[in-house]
């Protein structure tokens, strides 16, 4: 595996591969890699001849009171894991390399989809994500890019952005990777105390219970959100949102919607966890 830090070096490698007719898969990350990231890399390998991974903790997607400074930076361990995973190129740029003119003046922003779920409480977050992902797509010029379904809203927004801006890249969603107790793998799980870690899988269980309630015929979505949100609060979470959304628009689902995602964000202490489950509702005539 080669590790490079500059835009021009990435372009040189990728140009060489494309000239040889090789397809390039891309997995953008913020590092602190875990098995979830490795499953994305595996997916990229299954679809492409070579795989590029970026590690960049992107400042423009963190709000002023969020965890940019304490976000774990573990480049040496990450690079070792990437070698084991058969990665061809690691792009690990500095903030200056990605934002050479300082404060960004050019933004990529997707309307509407960013207004709901995490977007409602993390102002500017998705604008930071879409801006940096656009830059990374322009730098790496991949044929395929793989993102985790744990970040359901991020994936939906990136799909929309890539389609509307005609990026010549296929966006692939990979299933959420989970610990044996169901907790969705996340770099932020490392912040959980022992007791918080024990409680954390409850989030996924609650979403599954809600899904089971819908499958059993309950259709008052707002009442279900309230009941299951309160149950999480009582268990010790601070719920940011628990929403039954229409899976394409991400707007709160109505009783006639059939393609649903149940998504939640909740804090345990200082650690914000997100998770989601999808379901298709069969409408009875
Ligand atoms: O999902 C992430 O890790 C980040 O949001 C991403 C896509 C790498 C952009 O910084």
């Amino acid at each position: 595996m080669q590790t490079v830090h500059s835009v021009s070096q990435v372009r040189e490698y990728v140009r060489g591969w494309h000239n040889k007719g090789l397809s390039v898969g891309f997995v953008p990350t913020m590092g602190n890699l875990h098995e979830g990231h490795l499953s994305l890399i595996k997916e990229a390998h299954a679809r492409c001849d070579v795989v590029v991974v970026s590690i960049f903790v992107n400042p423009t997607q963190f709000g002023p009171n969020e965890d940019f400074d304490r976000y774990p930076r573990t480049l040496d361990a990450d690079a070792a894991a990437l070698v084991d995973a058969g990665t061809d190129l690691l792009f690990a740029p500095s903030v200056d390399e990605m934002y050479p003119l300082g404060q960004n003046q050019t933004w990529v922003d997707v309307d509407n989809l960013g207004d709901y779920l995490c977007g409602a409480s993390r102002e500017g977050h998705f604008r930071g994500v879409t801006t940096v992902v656009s830059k990374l797509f322009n730098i790496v010029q991949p044929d395929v890019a793989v993102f985790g379904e744990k970040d359901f809203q991020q994936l939906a927004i990136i799909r929309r952005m890539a389609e509307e801006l005609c990026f010549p890249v296929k966006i692939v969603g990979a299933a959420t990777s989970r610990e044996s107790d169901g907790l969705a793998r996340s770099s932020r799980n490392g912040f959980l105390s022992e007791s918080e870690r024990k409680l954390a899988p409850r989030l996924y269980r609650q979403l599954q219970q809600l899904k089971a309630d819908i499958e059993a015929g309950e259709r008052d979505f707002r009442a279900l959100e309230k009941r299951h949100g309160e149950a999480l609060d009582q268990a010790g979470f601070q719920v940011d949102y628990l929403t039954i959304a229409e899976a394409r628009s991400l707007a709160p689902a109505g009783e006639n919607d059939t393609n649903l995602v149940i998504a939640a964000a909740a804090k345990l202490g200082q650690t914000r966890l997100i998770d989601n489950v999808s379901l298709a509702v069969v409408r009875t005539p």
Side-chain angles (χ1 to χ4, degrees):
M1 181 182 81
Q2 300 295 323
T3 300
V4 297
H5 303 285
S6 74
V7 171
S8 59
Q9 287 168 304
V10 183
R11 289 215 163 117
E12 212 174 305
Y13 275 102
V14 173
R15 199 179 307 121
W17 287 322
H18 277 153
N19 284 344
K20 285 186 194 151
L22 300 175
S23 57
V24 176
F26 178 44
V27 181
T29 81
M30 298 206 297
N32 195 235
L33 303 180
H34 49 69
E35 276 182 54
H37 296 107
L38 301 182
S39 70
L40 306 185
I41 294 167
K42 207 169 161 193
E43 184 67 44
H45 270 301
R47 291 168 180 267
C48 295
D49 299 314
V50 294
V51 174
V52 180
V53 174
S54 64
I55 294 184
F56 179 61
V57 184
N58 171 38
T60 65
Q61 68 187 76
F62 288 81
N65 299 318
E66 295 186 353
D67 54 359
F68 175 69
D69 288 333
R70 72 178 194 129
Y71 199 87
R73 288 155 172 90
T74 52
L75 190 60
D76 291 344
D78 291 346
L82 290 176
V83 170
D84 289 347
T87 306
D88 297 276
L89 184 69
L90 165 59
F91 176 42
S94 64
V95 172
D96 285 347
E97 183 69 10
M98 287 301 285
Y99 296 104
L101 305 181
Q103 179 64 48
N104 233 35
Q105 294 188 16
T106 309
W107 297 98
V108 176
D109 207 354
V110 176
D111 279 348
N112 299 339
L113 283 176
D115 293 344
Y116 304 107
L117 310 177
C118 288
S121 58
R122 298 189 71 188
E123 206 196 328
H125 167 68
F126 287 113
R127 184 181 82 150
V129 171
T130 41
T131 300
V132 81
V133 170
S134 300
K135 287 168 76 89
L136 288 166
F137 282 176
N138 283 330
I139 294 165
V140 177
Q141 308 204 347
D143 300 288
V144 170
V146 186
F147 296 84
E149 285 175 355
K150 178 176 82 75
D151 298 297
F152 190 91
Q153 186 172 20
Q154 170 173 280
L155 176 59
I157 288 174
I158 288 170
R159 277 191 203 286
R160 184 86 188 204
M161 172 195 85
E163 193 175 338
E164 291 191 352
L165 295 185
C166 307
F167 278 106
V169 52
K170 181 177 172 58
I171 307 296
V172 172
T176 302
S177 171
R178 298 186 180 279
E179 303 288 352
S180 55
D181 58 10
L183 177 64
R185 291 199 165 95
S186 162
S187 299
R188 291 189 168 97
N189 292 351
F191 292 142
L192 296 168
S193 69
E194 207 176 314
S195 60
E196 289 165 350
R197 174 64 190 80
K198 274 196 189 126
L199 185 55
R202 170 73 190 262
L203 177 60
Y204 181 50
R205 284 206 303 276
Q206 199 74 48
L207 297 183
Q208 286 178 307
Q209 277 170 27
L210 201 168
K211 177 178 173 174
D213 287 346
I214 296 175
E215 284 170 341
E218 282 198 52
R219 287 292 178 275
D220 187 341
F221 293 156
R222 303 295 85 80
L224 280 165
E225 289 165 351
K226 189 165 181 291
R227 192 165 87 228
H228 286 273
E230 281 171 3
L232 280 176
D233 276 328
Q234 274 158 22
F237 289 82
Q238 295 159 263
V239 176
D240 175 5
Y241 66 83
L242 188 160
T243 304
I244 305 164
E246 200 286 317
R248 282 181 66 81
S249 69
L250 304 184
E255 57 181 26
N256 292 327
D257 289 321
T258 52
N259 201 5
L260 308 180
V261 60
I262 308 164
K267 270 185 155 182
L268 274 179
Q270 292 307 303
T271 309
R272 190 172 187 276
L273 303 175
I274 61 171
D275 207 341
N276 67 82
V277 298
S278 295
L279 81 154
V281 176
V282 183
R283 274 178 68 190
T284 41

